[in-house]
Amino acid sequence: MPGGANSIMPKQKPLFFCDNCSYEVGDDLKTCPYCGRNFVSVRCPICDYSGPDRMFQSGCPMCGYSAPPKPKTPKPAKKKPGRKNIPADEPLPFWTYLLTFIALLIVIAIFSWLITK
């Protein structure tokens, strides 16, 4: 089979992504429009070859890679053992307010008892 499978399918135009925020950017930009990072050179995500953007117009000059990189997945937050993670916008349970109010009443009662003595 001359030419292989690549001769049937047209080669896709390479896509460029910001190393900092992973958004797709134009191949002629000097700074990322999303995070503002300056582009000094282009780096291949497969072979880590770096060079000026004009060398990457038809893919990586070293390995030929031109597919988009996989998007970054955020790392899960580490949970502290024995403690529930309560979101900041969720109110505290009612019993915490009740116990705080009772403790405040006890402190006021002791303070007024000490003053009158």
Side-chain angles (χ1 to χ4, degrees):
M1 189 159 87
N6 288 340
S7 64
I8 297 171
M9 294 177 55
K11 189 170 183 177
Q12 76 181 62
K13 183 180 176 193
L15 302 176
F16 293 83
F17 293 84
C18 176
D19 273 342
N20 190 43
C21 67
S22 297
Y23 280 102
E24 183 178 351
V25 296
D27 60 350
D28 59 341
L29 295 178
K30 299 299 177 197
T31 60
C32 178
Y34 302 100
C35 69
R37 182 171 186 160
N38 290 328
F39 300 134
V40 178
S41 64
V42 176
R43 181 185 56 83
C44 176
I46 299 299
C47 68
D48 282 336
Y49 176 77
S50 292
D53 58 346
R54 66 182 177 276
M55 292 178 67
F56 286 83
Q57 294 302 317
S58 60
C60 178
M62 295 303 281
C63 69
Y65 180 76
S66 65
K70 294 179 182 177
K72 293 181 182 177
T73 54
K75 294 180 182 177
K78 292 183 179 179
K79 294 182 179 180
K80 294 182 180 178
R83 193 169 172 207
K84 292 183 182 178
N85 288 337
I86 300 174
D89 59 343
E90 190 173 311
L92 294 173
F94 174 74
W95 62 268
T96 57
Y97 295 108
L98 182 63
L99 286 178
T100 304
F101 180 71
I102 291 171
L104 183 62
L105 285 178
I106 291 171
V107 168
I108 291 172
I110 291 174
F111 185 68
S112 59
W113 179 74
L114 288 173
I115 290 177
T116 58
K117 207 173 181 193

